[in-house]
Amino acid sequence: MKKLIDIRPITRKDVPQCVELGYEQFSASRFNYLTYDREKIRSQFLHAVDHPRVRAFVVDRDGELVGIVAVSLEQYEYNYDTFAMDHFYYIKPAHRKGLLALKLFRVAEQWAKENRALEIQFNFAFNDEGQRIANFMDRIGYVKYNEHYKKLLVE
């Protein structure tokens, strides 16, 4: 029997699984040299449960969370207009086939539109699949808009 997939807003009950999804992403990321503070991550996901300017959506597959996106509304530095930006986006590798990624983007976009954001921004710095992600983003209507640089200041 095929399992049902539901994309829905995060609930308090989802937070422990979301913390674990966060750890999966973190462990495979370029940031895995840092400390993963589960309590801080737990607090951030709880914040997304009922905050009017922050929202997380989970991909629920019969009670197992297999993906999540967390976005917030921010103001531009130049005026009071609003844009949405992601803070977290992850789908477990076994579930990255088909239209699930696109559906998760569309849910975040719809929330941003409903909250009068002028645009939505996603930043992908978590893996070395840059060209594959660039191709996907181009197909769904996103354009590259920035370059980031970093310098490690501690040894």
Side-chain angles (χ1 to χ4, degrees), residues 17-151:
Q17 282 190 73
C18 291
V19 171
E20 292 310 310
L21 281 175
Y23 187 72
E24 282 182 38
Q25 180 190 42
F26 171 81
S27 295
S29 77
R30 295 179 186 169
F31 299 105
N32 63 10
Y33 63 93
L34 299 170
T35 300
Y36 186 80
D37 187 326
R38 290 176 188 276
E39 189 55 37
K40 179 178 182 181
I41 302 303
R42 179 183 165 282
S43 176
Q44 289 173 337
F45 282 128
L46 283 171
H47 186 69
V49 170
D50 57 9
H51 194 283
R53 297 184 63 82
V54 180
R55 190 58 35 104
F57 296 93
V58 296
V59 179
D60 184 333
R61 187 167 188 196
D62 286 343
E64 177 192 4
L65 301 187
V66 299
I68 186 169
V69 63
V71 292
S72 68
L73 298 172
E74 307 294 335
Q75 287 183 339
Y76 293 98
E77 299 296 327
Y78 318 105
N79 57 43
Y80 293 100
D81 290 336
T82 302
F83 66 95
M85 64 180 282
D86 83 302
H87 295 275
F88 191 85
Y89 182 94
Y90 183 70
I91 297 174
K92 287 184 173 189
H95 301 275
R96 293 180 186 166
K97 297 175 185 158
L99 297 174
L100 187 55
L102 176 62
K103 290 177 181 178
L104 197 52
F105 270 90
R106 295 300 187 236
V107 167
E109 291 170 4
Q110 184 60 39
W111 178 81
K113 286 178 190 176
E114 290 170 1
N115 285 278
R116 299 191 306 259
L118 298 181
E119 66 184 12
I120 188 166
Q121 302 171 3
F122 281 86
N123 177 22
F124 286 96
F126 274 93
N127 61 38
D128 295 322
E129 299 179 42
Q131 192 57 54
R132 187 177 65 81
I133 290 171
N135 293 342
F136 172 74
M137 298 302 278
D138 183 59
R139 278 194 314 273
I140 64 172
Y142 285 75
V143 295
K144 187 174 180 179
Y145 73 97
N146 209 352
E147 296 287 339
H148 286 85
Y149 299 90
K150 75 173 190 172
K151 180 180 181 180

